[in-house]
Amino acid sequence: MFGYRVPAPDEAMLISGGRRGLGGAPFRVVTGHGKFVLPVFRKTRFLTLSMCEAEVTETCVTRQGIALHVRAVIAFKVGNDTESIINAGQRFLSDQDQMSVLTGRIFAGHLRSIIGSMTVEEIVTERQKLAAEVLDTSKVEMAKIGLIVDSLQIQSIDDGEVGYIEAMSAPHKAAIQRQAQIAQAQATQASVEAEQVAARNQAEYARQTAVVRAEYSAEVDRAQAQAAQAGPLAQAHAQQEVLAAQTELAQRQAELRQQQLVAEIVKPAEAEAQRIKLLAIAEADRMKIQAEAAASYDRVALDRMLIDQLPQIVKEAAGGLAGANVNVLNGADGLGEIAAGLVSQGLTILDSVRGNLSGADPDGRRPGDEVKNLLQLQAKKDEKKNDGPVDLD
């Protein structure tokens, strides 16, 4: 629409003519919206609000008296508030490029001031501290001209041909080089160890592969050998079973034959032996009975013979007394005693003979042998007297 003006998003529209602006400013500030501007009676100008850049390259002397060449970059812009826009518009509206030039000069002065109070070591190692101090000291001054600083970056610090910074960095360089060499050596060692481990792993894998192959080959050979032996083994097992069956059959036949022999020979022989044994026992019993009967008969005959010979024994004893010179002291009583003694001796001899008939003496003589001998002796005497034999049996 004719007479309606709108500023860009990064611009501030300054309208001069007519009423004065805020705080007695010679223009009114419009940002973010449009406004009707009467032609001829009003005049509009635009002030950029975008980011601007200023570069500073300055030679500064440190507290140690060492000259340093410092290069810094400042990022700044016009403040968004109306007061900052008015201050910047009054100073840079006609030549807005001067904002970068003036900002560079302001920061160069503050940079020399701050570096002059620091050592090279502090400047090199604490660049962020240097930038913060420069920003703090320039903030008020920049606000007066309507500018705000977004950042300050120290790009480079160089001492030229002095070599102070290089000498200061020499120990660090040596340490870094040493660390680099150590790291390189460690890396080399690790690489060698890795290669050795890889070689061992390959050798182990090759060994395991060879072992597995050998096992597979042995298993195949074993299976082939078993397959080749299967037929003979089966035949041998069959023959072994046949032999076992034949052996069992032979054993059964031998047992059967043994049973037959027992039934045919042993049992009859045992029966015959038992029969012979019984017959022998019966014969022994018969002979014993006969011997006992004979012995009994002999005792009866001997008793009879003794009884028959007893008067003769007494007679012979009395005859022996006839030729003897015997003195009888007590007359008829003495003769009676002698006669009684002769009879008693005969009876004693008879009892002794009867007692000995029951068994043999220790010399093996039969019962009655002693009496028989006496009788035989007496018979011989009688034979001599009578001139004839006497039968004792």
Side-chain angles (χ1 to χ4, degrees):
M1 184 179 292
F2 181 75
Y4 191 78
R5 306 296 298 274
V6 179
D10 59 348
E11 289 181 339
M13 186 171 62
L14 306 180
I15 302 172
S16 60
R19 293 184 304 170
R20 288 183 174 271
L22 182 64
F27 49 79
R28 288 180 293 172
V29 178
V30 177
T31 57
H33 59 87
K35 195 167 183 66
F36 283 103
V37 178
L38 292 176
V40 182
F41 297 100
R42 304 284 189 272
K43 187 177 182 178
T44 58
R45 300 287 297 275
F46 294 93
L47 179 66
T48 181
L49 301 179
S50 62
M51 182 66 67
C52 299
E53 181 180 304
E55 184 174 344
V56 178
T57 303
E58 191 69 22
T59 301
C60 307
V61 179
T62 66
R63 190 176 62 186
Q64 300 160 315
I66 299 172
L68 298 177
H69 302 285
V70 180
R71 180 176 175 272
V73 176
I74 304 101
F76 68 95
K77 66 181 291 292
V78 177
N80 294 326
D81 59 291
T82 302
E83 184 179 359
S84 296
I85 293 172
I86 292 173
N87 291 334
Q90 288 179 343
R91 291 171 176 79
F92 307 112
L93 185 59
S94 59
D95 189 4
Q96 298 185 23
D97 294 335
Q98 287 296 319
M99 290 189 294
S100 298
V101 176
L102 182 59
T103 300
R105 289 175 181 175
I106 293 172
F107 273 88
H110 289 292
L111 195 60
R112 285 195 301 271
S113 175
I114 298 300
I115 288 176
S117 63
M118 299 175 68
T119 62
V120 179
E121 290 79 6
E122 293 174 347
I123 295 169
V124 172
T125 58
E126 300 180 2
R127 291 190 181 187
Q128 192 64 32
K129 178 181 178 182
L130 173 62
E133 290 184 1
V134 172
L135 286 174
D136 288 339
T137 55
S138 62
K139 184 181 296 184
V140 177
E141 190 172 353
M142 293 291 289
K144 289 180 181 180
I145 59 177
L147 302 177
I148 57 174
V149 179
D150 288 339
S151 67
L152 171 63
Q153 297 294 328
I154 306 298
Q155 297 291 321
S156 63
I157 298 174
D158 186 14
D159 59 355
E161 297 180 356
V162 176
Y164 186 91
I165 297 177
E166 185 177 358
M168 185 179 66
S169 63
H172 301 286
K173 288 182 179 180
I176 291 173
Q177 290 176 357
R178 183 171 61 254
Q179 292 177 357
Q181 293 175 356
I182 293 173
Q184 183 64 33
Q186 292 177 349
T188 303
Q189 181 179 359
S191 177
V192 172
E193 291 178 354
E195 291 178 356
Q196 293 177 353
V197 171
R200 286 197 298 269
N201 292 335
Q202 290 178 357
E204 180 66 18
Y205 179 76
R207 185 187 68 81
Q208 292 179 357
T209 302
V211 170
V212 172
R213 287 179 179 175
E215 290 178 353
Y216 286 163
S217 179
E219 187 174 355
V220 171
D221 294 340
R222 190 162 51 250
Q224 291 177 353
Q226 291 177 354
Q229 295 176 356
L233 286 175
Q235 186 177 1
H237 286 309
Q239 292 178 355
Q240 185 176 3
E241 291 178 356
V242 171
L243 291 176
Q246 291 177 353
T247 303
E248 185 177 359
L249 178 59
Q251 290 178 353
R252 291 183 178 178
Q253 290 177 352
E255 292 175 357
L256 180 60
R257 181 57 181 166
Q258 184 178 4
Q259 293 175 359
Q260 291 177 353
L261 291 175
V262 169
E264 294 176 357
I265 297 175
V266 176
K267 294 298 184 179
E270 290 179 352
E272 181 64 19
Q274 186 68 23
R275 187 183 68 81
I276 294 172
K277 182 178 179 181
L278 293 175
L279 292 175
I281 292 172
E283 183 65 19
D285 291 341
R286 185 184 65 80
M287 293 178 67
K288 182 179 179 181
I289 293 170
Q290 290 178 354
E292 290 178 352
S296 177
Y297 177 78
D298 290 340
R299 283 194 300 270
V300 172
L302 183 60
D303 290 343
R304 183 178 297 172
M305 183 188 66
L306 290 175
I307 293 170
D308 293 338
Q309 294 294 330
L310 182 59
Q312 184 65 30
I313 292 171
V314 174
K315 179 181 180 181
E316 290 296 331
L321 291 175
N325 187 12
V326 179
N327 294 320
V328 180
L329 298 180
N330 52 357
D333 293 330
L335 290 175
E337 290 176 2
I338 292 172
L342 291 176
V343 175
S344 176
Q345 288 179 0
L347 293 175
T348 300
I349 293 170
L350 180 61
D351 292 336
S352 176
V353 172
R354 289 177 177 175
N356 291 331
L357 289 176
S358 60
D361 60 2
D363 294 335
R365 290 177 295 179
R366 294 180 60 188
D369 288 345
E370 185 176 351
V371 176
K372 186 176 183 179
N373 291 333
L374 292 175
L375 295 175
Q376 289 177 357
L377 182 59
Q378 185 64 39
K380 287 180 181 182
K381 289 180 179 181
D382 294 338
E383 184 179 357
K384 287 180 180 182
K385 290 179 178 184
N386 300 320
D387 294 328
V390 179
D391 188 5
L392 297 177
D393 295 331

